[in-house]
C-alpha cells in the first residue's frame, strides 16, 4: 500500500511542469532558471589586458636574463586600467602596466613587478619572459556569438556577474509558482494569542513559509482551518483557485478527524499517491488538477519540513525550470549504531563533519522524534537508512544527503 520514496519523487517530478517565462532585471533573477540561451555579444575579455602589475617588454630584450644576469630597460611611460593610450615601445624600452590595463601593440609580455627593481627611469629585470606572459587575451573565455549560458541554467551570483560583464540588464527567466499554504487542526493557535490547555501553536506555517522564502517564492497564507469539512472545503477551494501549488498541513493521516483527503476527492483532485514508505512523513499525499500540484503534508513538524525538502522542493524547482533534480549525496562513516524496523526508508537527521584524520564522519542528532524540531537545529544532512535494513553498524559507510 505504501509507495517507496524514489517512486514517489519520480511521480511528483513527472507531474511538475515548467511555468511560463517572464523578463527580469538581472539583480532580481538570483535563484531563477534561465528561459533563454545567452549569447556572447562581444568577446570576453573584450580586449587583451595585463593580469598583473608589472612592466610591458619586448621579450627579445630579456633573452638569457636571470637573477644573476639582470637586464636594464628604460621606462618610457605608464598605462593604468581604464587608459586607452596608444604608447609604443622600442627595443631597450619598457612600460609600466597595471592590472586590467590594455596591452599596447609592440608589448609582447608583461613581467611582474616582483621580478624587477626600479632606479629612477631604469628598470632592472631579473627574469626572462615568454610571448604573452601575464596577458589576459581577448576572447580567451568566451568568443563573440557563442552560447555562454544555456536555457535552464540556474542563476547564481556568478551568472549575475557574468551577465553584467556582458552588459546585459534584463533576462528571460521561468516564472516561480505561487504557493498557497493551509494548516489544519483544531488544536492549533496562531502565535501571539493565548493557549488553552491542549492547544499548541502552529509552527508548520512558519517553517514551511521560511523554506519557501529561502527559495524566494511568494506565499499565500490561507490561515488555520479547523478539522471541519465546511471550513476545509472553502479554504482548499480558494487555495486551488489562487495558486499553482497548494500545501495543506495536517489532517491527511488515518485519524477520525483527518478530513483533508475527503475534501481533495470532493474537489476532483486526481490522487497520484497517498502514503510513502518513509519515516518521518508516511501520510504524505500528492495529487493534481490540470497543471496544479496539491500536497497533503503530515502535521508532525519534522515530517512536514522533511517532506517539503525531499518531495515538494524538487517539484517547485522543476516548475521554476530545473531539468535535473540533483541532490548533493555523499558517503560518510557512521559514528553511532542505528536501529529501526525494516519496511520504511528512514531519514535520520545527522551532523556531518571532518575529523582530525580528514575522514568524513556522520552522527545522528539528539531528538529524532518527528515532533521534535530541536533535532533539526544542528542537522546539516540526512542519513539514508535504507528501507530493507534494520541495523546500520557503527563505522559502516552510509549514504548522506546534504541539507544546507
Ligand atoms: P495530524 O497530521 O493532523 O494528525 O497531526 C500530527 C501531529 O502534528 C499532531 O500532534 C498535531 O498536533 C501536530 N501538528 C499538526 N499541525 C501542526 C502545525 N501546524 N504546527 C505544529 N504542530 C502541528
Ligand atoms: Mg490534525
Amino acid at each position: 500500500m505504501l509507495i517507496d520514496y524514489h517512486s514517489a519523487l519520480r511521480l511528483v517530478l513527472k507531474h511538475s511542469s515548467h511555468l511560463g517565462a517572464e523578463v527580469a532585471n538581472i539583480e532580481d533573477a538570483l535563484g531563477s532558471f534561465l528561459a533563454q540561451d545567452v549569447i556572447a555579444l562581444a568577446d570576453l575579455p573584450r580586449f587583451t589586458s595585463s593580469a598583473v602589475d608589472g612592466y610591458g617588454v619586448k621579450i627579445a630584450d630579456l633573452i638569457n636574463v636571470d637573477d644573476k644576469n639582470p637586464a636594464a630597460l628604460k621606462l618610457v611611460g605608464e598605462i593604468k586600467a581604464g587608459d586607452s593610450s596608444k604608447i609604443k615601445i622600442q627595443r631597450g624600452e619598457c612600460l609600466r602596466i597595471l592590472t586590467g590595463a590594455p596591452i599596447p601593440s609592440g608589448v609582447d609580455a608583461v613581467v611582474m613587478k616582483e621580478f624587477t627593481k626600479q632606479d629612477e627611469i631604469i628598470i632592472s629585470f631579473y627574469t626572462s619572459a615568454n610571448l604573452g606572459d601575464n596577458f589576459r587575451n581577448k576572447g580567451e573565455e568566451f568568443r563573440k556569438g557563442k552560447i555562454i549560458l544555456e536555457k535552464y541554467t540556474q542563476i547564481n551570483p556568478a551568472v549575475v556577474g557574468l551577465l553584467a560583464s556582458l552588459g546585459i540588464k534584463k533576462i528571460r527567466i521561468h516564472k516561480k509558482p505561487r504557493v498557497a499554504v493551509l494548516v489544519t487542526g483544531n488544536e492549533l493557535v496562531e502565535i501571539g494569542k493565548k493557549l488553552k490547555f491542549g492547544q499548541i501553536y502552529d509552527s508548520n506555517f512558519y517553517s514551511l513559509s521560511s523554506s519557501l522564502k529561502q527559495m524566494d517564492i511568494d506565499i499565500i497564507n490561507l490561515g488555520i482551518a479547523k478539522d471541519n469539512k465546511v471550513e476545509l472545503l472553502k479554504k482548499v477551494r480558494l487555495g486551488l483557485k489562487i495558486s499553482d501549488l497548494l500545501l495543506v498541513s495536517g489532517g491527511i493521516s488515518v485519524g477520525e478527524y483527518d478530513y483533508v483527503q475527503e475534501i481533495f476527492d470532493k474537489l476532483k483532485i486526481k490522487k497520484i499517491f497517498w502514503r510513502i514508505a518513509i519515516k518521518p512523513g508516511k501520510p504524505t499525499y500528492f495529487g493534481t488538477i490540470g497543471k496544479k500540484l496539491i500536497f497533503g503534508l503530515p502535521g508532525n513538524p519534522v515530517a512536514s519540513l522533511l517532506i517539503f525538502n525531499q518531495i515538494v522542493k524538487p517539484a517547485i524547482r522543476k516548475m521554476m525550470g530545473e531539468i535535473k533534480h540533483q541532490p548533493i549525496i555523499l558517503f560518510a562513516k557512521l559514528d553511532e549504531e542505528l536501529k529501526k524496523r525494516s519496511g520504511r526508508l528512514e531519514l535520520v537527521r545527522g551532523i556531518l563533519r571532518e575529523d582530525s584524520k580528514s575522514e568524513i564522519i556522520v552522527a545522528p542528532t539528539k531528538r529524532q522524534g518527528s515532533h521534535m524540531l530541536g533535532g533539526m537545529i544542528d542537522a546539516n544532512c540526512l542519513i539514508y537508512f535504507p528501507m530493507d535494513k534494520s541495523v546500520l553498524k557503527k563505522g559502516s559507510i552510509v549514504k548522506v544527503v546534504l541539507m544546507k
Side-chain angles (χ1 to χ4, degrees):
M1 281 297 285
L2 306 187
I3 184 171
D4 71 274
Y5 167 63
H6 291 285
S7 304
L9 180 61
R10 213 172 307 126
L11 281 172
V12 166
L13 290 173
K14 188 178 137 198
H15 286 90
S16 313
S17 37
H18 301 328
L19 298 175
E22 62 186 356
V23 174
N25 291 324
I26 61 164
E27 63 267 40
D28 301 325
L30 188 66
S32 294
F33 290 77
L34 289 175
Q36 61 164 93
D37 292 330
V38 176
I39 292 171
L41 304 171
D43 281 339
L44 263 193
R46 286 166 188 267
F47 51 88
T48 299
S49 66
S50 179
V52 297
D53 294 327
Y55 295 94
V57 297
K58 289 191 177 293
I59 55 173
D61 283 332
L62 299 182
I63 289 169
N64 294 328
V65 164
D66 58 30
D67 50 357
K68 304 217 171 50
N69 307 291
L73 300 178
K74 185 176 164 207
L75 182 64
V76 295
E78 179 183 270
I79 303 190
K80 308 186 289 297
D83 286 353
S84 54
S85 100
K86 296 259 186 313
I87 319 177
K88 285 216 162 93
I89 56 167
Q90 310 297 328
R91 288 291 304 269
E93 295 177 344
C94 68
L95 201 60
R96 177 174 299 123
I97 205 161
L98 293 121
T99 307
I103 304 282
S105 66
V107 166
D108 46 31
V110 175
V111 175
M112 288 171 81
K113 192 175 177 186
E114 289 84 334
F115 296 108
T116 66
K117 220 180 248 166
Q118 180 172 8
D119 184 10
E120 310 264 310
I121 60 155
I122 299 301
I123 311 293
S124 299
F125 289 81
Y126 295 86
T127 179
S128 59
N130 293 310
L131 189 65
D133 271 0
N134 298 310
F135 281 12
R136 290 176 184 157
N137 289 302
K138 175 172 156 70
E140 73 175 8
E141 187 176 8
F142 297 109
R143 283 269 171 222
K144 180 175 174 177
K146 286 263 169 345
I147 293 180
I148 63 170
L149 291 165
E150 285 182 22
K151 196 171 169 178
Y152 308 116
T153 300
Q154 190 173 24
I155 300 175
N156 63 22
V159 171
V160 180
L162 187 56
L163 290 168
S165 66
L166 289 162
I168 295 172
K169 246 178 121 71
K170 288 181 186 290
I171 197 81
R172 284 179 76 74
I173 55 169
H174 287 279
K175 283 185 189 160
K176 290 181 173 169
R178 292 162 302 164
V179 178
V181 181
L182 174 64
V183 298
T184 74
N186 282 344
E187 73 281 29
L188 301 179
V189 173
E190 221 175 288
I191 51 175
K193 295 194 174 148
K194 270 225 152 84
L195 290 179
K196 293 197 194 105
F197 180 75
Q199 295 181 323
I200 60 170
Y201 286 121
D202 158 36
S203 63
N204 288 355
F205 174 76
Y206 293 91
S207 52
L208 292 171
S209 61
S210 314
S211 304
L212 291 161
K213 232 178 230 171
Q214 276 185 334
M215 304 178 80
D216 199 24
I217 302 268
D218 290 331
I219 303 141
I220 303 161
N221 179 2
L222 296 170
I224 302 173
K226 296 268 182 238
D227 298 314
N228 164 310
K229 293 184 196 174
V230 178
E231 194 179 340
L232 281 170
L233 186 72
K234 209 172 103 195
K235 293 207 154 155
V236 172
R237 183 182 277 146
L238 172 67
L240 284 174
K241 202 182 274 174
I242 57 181
S243 70
D244 303 302
L245 189 151
L246 173 63
L247 294 177
V248 180
S249 145
I252 196 69
S253 195
V254 293
E256 303 303 319
Y257 302 95
D258 290 339
Y259 298 134
V260 170
Q261 191 164 183
E262 191 182 320
I263 301 302
F264 287 167
D265 291 344
K266 206 173 220 162
L267 289 168
K268 303 273 181 308
I269 292 172
K270 188 172 151 214
K271 176 163 107 182
I272 309 294
F273 62 74
W274 175 54
R275 303 214 294 169
I276 308 178
I278 199 169
K279 188 184 174 189
K282 179 162 90 173
T284 303
Y285 170 102
F286 173 58
T288 59
I289 277 195
K291 290 195 159 182
K292 293 185 192 240
L293 307 186
I294 297 94
F295 292 91
L297 300 180
N300 271 312
V302 175
S304 144
L305 205 47
L306 286 191
I307 294 298
F308 180 88
N309 265 298
Q310 301 298 115
I311 296 274
V312 181
K313 202 170 177 177
I316 294 178
R317 288 176 63 90
K318 170 97 184 269
M319 293 170 111
M320 286 167 60
E322 184 170 69
I323 40 179
K324 192 159 174 30
H325 171 62
Q326 275 174 321
I328 301 174
I329 289 168
L330 13 120
F331 293 88
K333 195 168 163 180
L334 189 61
D335 212 17
E336 207 174 287
E337 179 168 282
L338 292 175
K339 284 190 171 164
K340 71 164 169 64
R341 274 199 277 167
S342 68
R344 282 200 274 166
L345 166 70
E346 190 164 329
L347 301 176
V348 182
R349 279 70 76 204
I351 302 171
L352 196 66
R353 65 183 165 86
E354 192 180 354
D355 73 1
S356 54
K357 288 177 248 148
S358 292
E359 251 189 315
I360 307 293
I361 308 287
V362 68
T365 60
K366 293 192 188 91
R367 307 185 186 92
Q368 290 286 329
S370 68
H371 57 300
M372 297 177 176
L373 277 176
M376 288 203 59
I377 291 168
D378 301 325
N380 55 12
C381 70
L382 297 172
I383 305 167
Y384 275 49
F385 194 161
M387 200 149 88
D388 55 343
K389 291 247 163 76
S390 52
V391 184
L392 288 178
K393 290 232 157 62
K394 180 177 172 160
S396 61
I397 300 298
V398 294
K399 186 169 147 184
V400 155
V401 59
L402 281 193
M403 272 205 303
K404 280 182 181 168

